Amino acid sequence: MLRWEPDVVIVVLGGNDITSRCQPRDISMDILKLCRLVKARGVATVVVAGICQRWAFCDNALTLDRFKAIGSVIDHYVMRYFPVSSMIHMREDVHWLSDGVHLSEDGMAVFMESLRLKLAKISKPKDL
């Protein structure tokens, strides 16, 4: 990052380590620390990709509803300080591989479109 001096950095985080015992505020604070560090290095725009919904979990106590709630709290807290790109129209049957964790090619296209839409909202048209 220091060598390339980008104008925009997109912070993409996975939810692999989220468990039923995680505290969304702690995760949010860690994301904010990372984003502030990136800004302090001279990056003009930092966008955070919302934590992707998923359908398979290592923690048996973690349900889809709990995972979504954790992700939602994180997104809402972080978006007070940095723009958050939310995944749009994600469906289990076509946007995920059979493991329920990794995005399929179609899912990756939706993910990239959500990032493009967020960047279009916060950037000047000449920047795109």
Side-chain angles (χ1 to χ4, degrees), residues 1-2 5 36-43:
M1 183 183 77
L2 293 175
E5 299 178 358
R36 288 179 178 133
L37 179 63
V38 170
K39 286 287 280 185
R41 298 293 191 259
V43 174

Side-chain angles (χ1 to χ4, degrees), residues 31-32 35-36 39 45-48 75 77-84:
I31 293 170
L32 289 175
C35 292
R36 288 179 178 133
K39 286 287 280 185
T45 303
V46 177
V47 175
V48 178
D75 289 350
Y77 190 80
V78 171
M79 71 176 57
R80 288 193 245 167
Y81 305 95
F82 292 94
V84 174

Side-chain angles (χ1 to χ4, degrees), residues 60-77:
N60 292 332
L62 186 61
T63 64
L64 178 59
D65 288 339
R66 177 72 179 132
F67 186 83
K68 284 193 227 177
I70 290 170
S72 180
V73 169
I74 292 168
D75 289 350
H76 283 93
Y77 190 80

Side-chain angles (χ1 to χ4, degrees), residues 14-128:
N16 296 0
D17 296 326
I18 293 178
T19 68
S20 59
R21 297 172 307 283
C22 285
Q23 297 299 315
R25 188 178 188 312
D26 295 341
I27 297 170
S28 300
M29 295 303 290
D30 288 341
I31 293 170
L32 289 175
K33 283 181 201 172
L34 176 62
C35 292
R36 288 179 178 133
L37 179 63
V38 170
K39 286 287 280 185
R41 298 293 191 259
V43 174
T45 303
V46 177
V47 175
V48 178
I51 294 175
C52 295
Q53 180 175 317
R54 56 192 290 172
W55 278 267
F57 306 100
C58 296
D59 177 358
N60 292 332
L62 186 61
T63 64
L64 178 59
D65 288 339
R66 177 72 179 132
F67 186 83
K68 284 193 227 177
I70 290 170
S72 180
V73 169
I74 292 168
D75 289 350
H76 283 93
Y77 190 80
V78 171
M79 71 176 57
R80 288 193 245 167
Y81 305 95
F82 292 94
V84 174
S85 170
S86 300
M87 300 281 290
I88 52 174
H89 310 297
M90 296 304 290
R91 293 186 6 227
E92 181 178 8
D93 57 341
V94 296
H95 295 141
W96 299 90
L97 298 178
S98 59
D99 64 4
V101 175
H102 298 95
L103 292 171
S104 68
E105 193 171 315
D106 288 340
M108 186 58 73
V110 170
F111 176 71
M112 296 306 288
E113 178 65 6
S114 68
L115 290 174
R116 187 192 71 73
L117 290 171
K118 179 56 75 175
L119 288 171
K121 284 183 180 179
I122 64 173
S123 298
K124 296 179 184 100
K126 69 176 184 66
D127 295 338
L128 296 176

